[in-house]
């Protein structure tokens, strides 16, 4: 699907400014949408919006469907009478420059308890309607309540009747855990309502939202517990192989993600219904979806479950065109972006082009001296999305600091005269690109160094915590972005 010529910014909501332990869907989110509109930008790209698990990574979630309760704005709930007066004063506030996920979880638990205690008749009716139209909610809320009741242990370690979902055991768990189940349900309702309100505000300001769908789900998730038949598991619910990527320019030993692999034959047997339901939920939140690790739909890297790293894996065939043909029968259009970075091969490009999906170009990867490099601005194709860098890259100033003198000379020869700020040089080159869509991380707009990097692939700690400060994005930044967007027909 071709998208209109546009540009936008990449910022995950946890990185929004504000007084809470991490960014949320309150006033700062609306102010960011207004900044985008003032800057002539018509796209806000976020990372996956799910409930974060291991390492606070948006790509390791307890559910492929649920929204992250850490993003729920307590201020908006209190303003609507859904929390007792004075609740906000008792919640932990912003104590660090970055996101404090420990404090955010503490606040979220308090908000869930307070909201569940204060449900009135209208809110209960709203919750009942939400339950009726949200097929994944019952399994998710029960899974989270059970996980807490078992001390945070993964579901493979639960008692056998619960682990294997015996009907009587599930019924008893629902009775015994009615209150924590309710708390998880109300937080999902709150996230859903607040996100849709924010989306409506964005639409009113001419800003589209682009979400992100990780190809794999976490082993310790409601999805795998509720539908083990869709995943490559043994009789004890252990993975027979796990997901990763082979060695590449990010890591010499590859990346060992550890996610369970799909039983693609089982998905095909029911017309890829789980995938259709998943994308339907995402399209209810966002206008476009970035398909992470698009290569995995063509072929995926299977690693033995006990391997120390990803080097001993092997390629296995993915579902290919069959999945997307099934999805196209379900949806009128497929507003998808294929994350096709890395050494993917011609078969991946062929499927991407056959489906008409835009691929991705990263300017930081463009300047290797090869004049045929597809990431060079003059080689960009229209149906693509161009970035200065993504959440997995260093900031542009961090990248520049790591280049040799010869490498910097190559960049300068390609870009021409410098503005004195390499981040804005790349932004200008990207906005001028023939590609339909250009996106830059907010950190590059702010000309920040590697201290502001959001994620380092293959590094299990120290990620996802960078956060905006109040007032850090200024009218001057907006004016500069708008001038470039106007000049290059993106405003």
């Amino acid at each position: 699907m071709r998208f209109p010529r546009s540009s936008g910014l990449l910022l995950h909501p946890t990185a929004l400014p504000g007084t809470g332990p991490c960014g949320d869907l309150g006033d700062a989110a609306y102010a960011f949408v207004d900044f985008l509109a003032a800057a002539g930008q018509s796209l806000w790209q976020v990372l996956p919006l799910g409930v974060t698990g291991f390492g606070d990574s948006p790509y390791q979630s307890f559910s492929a469907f649920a929204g992250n309760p850490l993003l729920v704005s307590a201020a908006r709930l209190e303003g609507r009478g859904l929390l007792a007066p004075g609740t906000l004063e008792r919640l932990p506030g912003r104590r660090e420059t970055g996101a404090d996920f420990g404090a955010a979880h503490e606040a979220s638990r308090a908000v869930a308890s307070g909201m569940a205690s204060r449900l009135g008749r209208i809110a209960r009716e709203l919750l009942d309607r939400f339950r009726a139209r949200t097929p994944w909610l019952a399994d998710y809320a029960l899974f989270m309540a059970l996980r807490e009741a078992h001390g945070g242990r993964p579901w493979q370690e639960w008692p056998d009747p619960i682990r294997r979902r015996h009907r009587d055991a599930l019924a008893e768990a629902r009775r015994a855990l009615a209150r924590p189940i309710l708390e998880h349900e109300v937080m999902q309702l709150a996230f859903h309502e607040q996100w849709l309100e924010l989306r409506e505000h964005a639409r009113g300001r001419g800003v589209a939202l682009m979400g992100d769908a990780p190809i794999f789900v976490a082993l310790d998730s409601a999805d795998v517990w509720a539908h083990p038949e869709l995943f490559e598991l043994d009789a004890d619910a252990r993975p027979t192989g796990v997901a990763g990527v082979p060695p590449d320019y990010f890591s010499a030993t590859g990346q060992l993600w550890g996610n369970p692999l799909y039983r693609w034959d089982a998905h095909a047997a029911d017309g890829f219904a789980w995938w259709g339901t998943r994308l339907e939920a995402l399209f209810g939140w966002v206008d476009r979806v970035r398909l992470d690790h698009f290569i995995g739909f063509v072929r995926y890297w299977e690693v033995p479950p006990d391997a120390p790293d990803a080097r001993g894996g092997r390629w296995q065939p993915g579902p290919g065109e069959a999945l997307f043909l099934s999805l196209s029968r379900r949806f009128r259009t497929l507003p998808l972006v294929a994350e096709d970075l890395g050494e993917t091969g011609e078969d991946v490009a062929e499927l991407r082009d056959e489906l008409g999906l835009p691929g991705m170009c990263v300017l930081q990867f463009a300047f290797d001296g090869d004049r045929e490099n597809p990431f060079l601005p003059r080689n960009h194709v229209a149906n693509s999305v161009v970035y200065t860098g993504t959440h997995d890259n260093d900031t542009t100033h961090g990248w520049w600091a790591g280049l040799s003198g010869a490498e910097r000379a190559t960049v300068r020869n390609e870009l021409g005269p410098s503005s004195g700020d390499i981040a804005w040089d790349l932004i200008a080159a990207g906005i001028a690109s023939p590609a339909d869509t250009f996106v830059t991380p907010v950190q590059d707009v702010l000309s920040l160094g590697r201290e502001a990097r959001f994620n380092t692939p293959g590094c299990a700690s120290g990620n996802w915590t960078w956060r905006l400060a109040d007032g850090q994005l200024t009218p001057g930044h907006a004016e500069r972005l708008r001038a470039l967007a106007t000049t290059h027909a993106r405003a």
Side-chain angles (χ1 to χ4, degrees), residues 11 14 21 30 60 76 144 180 198 220 333 376 381 395 455:
L11 180 76
T14 56
Y30 288 77
Q60 290 286 352
R76 289 191 170 253
M144 295 300 288
L198 178 62
D220 189 19
T333 59
L376 282 172
V381 298
T395 67
N455 180 52

Side-chain angles (χ1 to χ4, degrees), residues 52 75 133 137 158 176-177 184 187 217 248 265-266 332 347 355 412 440 447 476 490:
T52 49
R133 67 174 188 270
L137 182 64
W158 298 351
L177 299 173
H184 286 290
M187 290 302 277
V217 300
D248 60 12
D265 58 340
R332 188 173 52 129
D347 50 354
L355 298 171
R412 286 294 175 218
T440 188
S447 303
R490 295 190 188 271

Side-chain angles (χ1 to χ4, degrees), residues 254-283:
Q255 297 177 46
L256 183 60
W257 296 336
N259 307 75
L261 301 169
Y262 295 107
R263 280 191 58 204
W264 284 117
D265 58 340
H267 285 268
D270 69 358
F272 300 97
W274 183 87
W275 275 93
T277 303
R278 183 184 184 191
L279 282 182
E280 185 173 46
L282 278 171
F283 291 149

Side-chain angles (χ1 to χ4, degrees), residues 47-361:
L47 304 183
L49 295 167
V51 188
T52 49
F54 175 73
D56 301 305
S57 169
Y59 294 89
Q60 290 286 352
S61 177
F62 291 125
S63 170
F65 296 86
N68 191 346
L70 304 187
L71 296 176
V72 170
S73 167
R76 289 191 170 253
L77 292 177
E78 186 176 272
R80 295 184 179 183
L82 295 173
L83 291 175
T87 298
L88 282 179
E89 299 171 5
R90 297 189 292 273
L91 297 178
R94 183 169 185 169
R95 299 190 292 263
E96 302 179 7
T97 56
D100 181 350
F101 291 115
H105 281 286
E106 178 187 341
S108 178
R109 288 190 292 269
V111 169
S113 177
M115 191 177 175
S117 297
R118 202 172 170 82
L119 279 184
R121 179 181 62 82
I122 294 176
R124 285 191 178 275
E125 291 176 354
L126 188 62
L127 178 59
D128 285 341
R129 290 196 295 271
F130 182 60
R131 286 168 172 156
R133 67 174 188 270
T134 311
W136 51 264
L137 182 64
D139 278 329
Y140 163 76
L142 177 58
F143 172 85
M144 295 300 288
L146 282 166
R147 197 175 185 280
E148 291 162 0
H150 289 92
R153 295 199 304 274
W155 66 268
Q156 294 87 352
E157 299 177 13
W158 298 351
D160 196 67
I162 288 292
R163 180 169 63 87
R164 297 187 183 276
R165 296 178 57 85
H166 293 174
R167 181 179 300 178
D168 291 345
L170 293 184
E172 174 56 31
R174 288 191 175 97
R175 286 191 293 271
L177 299 173
R179 171 65 184 216
I181 287 172
L182 176 63
E183 291 179 2
H184 286 290
E185 289 178 325
V186 296
M187 290 302 277
Q188 286 307 304
L189 173 62
F191 174 89
H192 184 76
E193 295 294 313
Q194 289 188 359
W195 184 265
L196 292 188
E197 290 170 1
L198 178 62
R199 185 183 188 187
E200 192 61 28
H201 179 73
R203 281 176 170 168
R205 299 307 308 271
V207 175
L209 303 178
M210 184 157 82
D212 194 318
I215 183 173
F216 297 113
V217 300
L219 176 62
D220 189 19
S221 68
D223 310 292
V224 184
W225 175 65
H227 301 285
E229 72 282 359
L230 297 178
F231 299 88
E232 295 283 1
L233 307 176
D234 63 18
D236 294 320
R238 304 290 178 180
T240 57
V242 296
V245 293
D248 60 12
Y249 46 65
F250 281 125
S251 172
T253 58
Q255 297 177 46
L256 183 60
W257 296 336
N259 307 75
L261 301 169
Y262 295 107
R263 280 191 58 204
W264 284 117
D265 58 340
H267 285 268
D270 69 358
F272 300 97
W274 183 87
W275 275 93
T277 303
R278 183 184 184 191
L279 282 182
E280 185 173 46
L282 278 171
F283 291 149
W285 287 349
V286 297
D287 304 290
R288 311 178 191 181
V289 172
R290 171 189 178 271
L291 286 179
D292 187 52
H293 200 60
F294 184 72
I295 185 178
F297 296 107
V298 177
R299 49 189 160 84
Y300 57 90
W301 191 247
E302 179 186 45
V303 184
D306 56 353
D309 57 50
R311 287 177 291 183
R314 59 176 181 170
W315 290 112
Q316 297 281 21
E321 184 183 25
L323 168 63
F324 296 96
L325 288 177
S326 177
L327 293 173
S328 66
R329 288 191 290 268
R330 180 165 181 163
F331 301 103
R332 188 173 52 129
T333 59
L334 288 175
L336 303 173
V337 173
E339 186 277 290
D340 56 348
L341 301 174
E343 298 174 4
T344 54
E346 289 299 320
D347 50 354
V348 175
E350 287 172 4
L351 178 62
R352 179 201 65 205
D353 293 344
E354 184 177 339
L355 298 171
L357 303 182
M360 291 173 51
C361 296

